Amino acid sequence: MDEPGTDEQRVRRRGGRSWAQGGPDAWKPFWAASSRDRLPWRSTLVLTVIVLGGTAFAQHGQLGQRVPLDAFGRSLLLLGQAFLLLRLRHPVLVAWATAASTLVYVGAGFPYGPVFLTVAVGCFAAIVAGHRHAAWSAIGMLWAGHVVIAHWLYPWLPPSGDHPASWSQELAVAAWVLAVLAASELARVRREQWARERAERKAAEKRRSDEERMRIARELHDVLAHSISVINVQAGVGLALLDADPEQARTALTTIKAASKEALGEVRQVLDTLRAPGEAPRAPAPGLDRLSELVEQARSAGLTVDTVTEGVPVPLPPGVDLAAFRIIQEALTNVVRHSESRTARVVLGYPPRRLVLRIDDAGPATGADAGGSGNGLVGMRERTAALGGTIEAGPRPGGGFRVEAVIPLSGEPGTGPAGAPKESL
């Protein structure tokens, strides 16, 4: 019963690739069987018909010059084809066996013809499989044996009354040998090139997959860490004031509701990119235009944030705008989690071709485990490095903690504004 679906669908169900999809298996000569076949019997059967039929036709033009094809001659031809059935499993053995059987055939005086195609296919398979020296040796042995037979042993070998072959004929045979070797080497080089291209495509796909996974992980971490920190603080306030100041507790619960709603919206946006990769997001990615919302959220968590702009603001590329927002968001989240200070200062600097972000808090650290994963600083470094910038995070002079990031606004990723390599700290 025929398999349902189009040819393309049937090929995909079987795990293969169609001709239209290209690749090393898209087109093959009739003698190059697929490596998935147990034995290349189809191509060998076609080759057997060609060799037997072509030899039978060729002997009519060599009557009186060569021995007529008999049962022994046909057995030698069939023996060579039987060896070709093993060319994918044992290419070295097949190269030598086909060369030897062809040499016996020639020495027995049978007609010239497509018999040499048998050894050509055997040596071709060996070279493509990477056994170059074995194939070269086998075909060299055949040529040398033919020279010895045609110029020295012919008086003692059939047919009787034979004459030595002309050296021009030997040059023609040598040219044929070189053509077979050249075609085989070309096929081998092309096959290795296809293998490298496949490996490079797989590596590139894996790299893109890893980068996308890391990007989504950073987005989810930044969104959830900030929102849950606000929710945690406000939940503590609500519990403390539930009986003493119900109105203030209500305000805390309202803040929790707003923060959780925003977090769910941003998480949904990230997950939408997973469900429909390549499509435009339904909502724009956050940027510095939402810095006031970030400051308000921090204020609802009990943190007073002062923002300062140094220089003339310039339009930012989308990637830089998102990274700047996330870096500030993560830095303020860390202040809420890890610092006893209830104030923070955010400085946005716009020197030529750069964006400078500096987030300071007066400290000191709480000294308690705030439940962080430790991925926040790693994510900030990855974001900055991906844009060719640098970042420093650590204690500042006079106490407290400082996060300072410098992101170039021009140049290729991984380089500074002037093209000089940068290292993330």
Side-chain angles (χ1 to χ4, degrees), residues 8-26:
E8 186 77 16
Q9 292 169 338
R10 286 193 290 270
V11 168
R12 288 180 178 175
R13 280 197 295 269
R14 294 168 184 167
R17 301 180 69 195
S18 68
W19 183 88
Q21 291 175 290
D25 294 330

Side-chain angles (χ1 to χ4, degrees), residues 155-169:
W156 299 279
L157 296 174
S160 59
D162 196 10
H163 300 285
S166 64
W167 285 103
S168 60
Q169 178 182 344

Side-chain angles (χ1 to χ4, degrees), residues 140-339:
M141 180 270 292
L142 175 61
W143 181 77
H146 181 270
V147 170
V148 171
I149 291 171
H151 292 275
W152 285 283
L153 299 182
Y154 67 91
W156 299 279
L157 296 174
S160 59
D162 196 10
H163 300 285
S166 64
W167 285 103
S168 60
Q169 178 182 344
E170 298 304 329
L171 292 177
V173 173
W176 174 84
V177 169
L178 293 177
V180 170
L181 294 177
S184 303
E185 290 291 341
L186 180 62
R188 179 187 62 82
V189 170
R190 186 57 179 160
R191 182 176 182 177
E192 292 177 353
Q193 181 180 354
W194 280 328
R196 286 195 301 271
E197 291 174 353
R198 285 198 303 269
E200 290 172 358
R201 284 195 297 269
K202 289 181 180 178
E205 290 173 1
K206 184 178 184 302
R207 185 169 57 251
R208 286 193 296 268
S209 176
D210 292 343
E211 291 173 353
E212 181 66 11
R213 187 171 63 252
M214 291 300 298
R215 183 191 70 81
I216 293 173
R218 285 196 301 267
E219 288 293 315
L220 289 175
H221 173 274
D222 292 346
V223 170
L224 296 177
H226 176 76
S227 300
I228 292 176
S229 294
V230 173
I231 291 171
N232 181 62
V233 171
Q234 291 300 319
V237 171
L239 287 174
L241 300 177
L242 184 60
D243 296 325
D245 192 346
E247 191 61 32
Q248 188 67 26
R250 181 187 299 273
T251 302
L253 292 175
T254 302
T255 302
I256 290 174
K257 180 179 179 181
S260 60
K261 180 180 179 181
E262 181 177 357
L264 287 173
E266 294 200 33
V267 169
R268 187 178 297 111
Q269 180 181 345
V270 174
L271 295 180
D272 283 344
T273 63
L274 290 177
R275 296 190 181 97
E279 295 184 4
R282 299 178 182 178
L288 292 182
D289 57 335
R290 293 179 53 186
L291 182 58
S292 59
E293 298 179 21
L294 199 59
V295 170
E296 186 60 32
Q297 290 176 1
R299 183 176 292 113
S300 66
L303 182 67
T304 300
V305 180
D306 296 327
T307 60
V308 178
T309 301
E310 297 178 351
V312 180
V314 297
L316 301 177
V320 175
D321 204 15
L322 173 61
F325 180 86
R326 294 302 190 200
I327 289 172
I328 296 174
Q329 184 183 53
E330 179 61 29
L332 294 180
T333 300
N334 287 340
V335 175
V336 172
R337 281 179 169 179
H338 305 295
S339 176

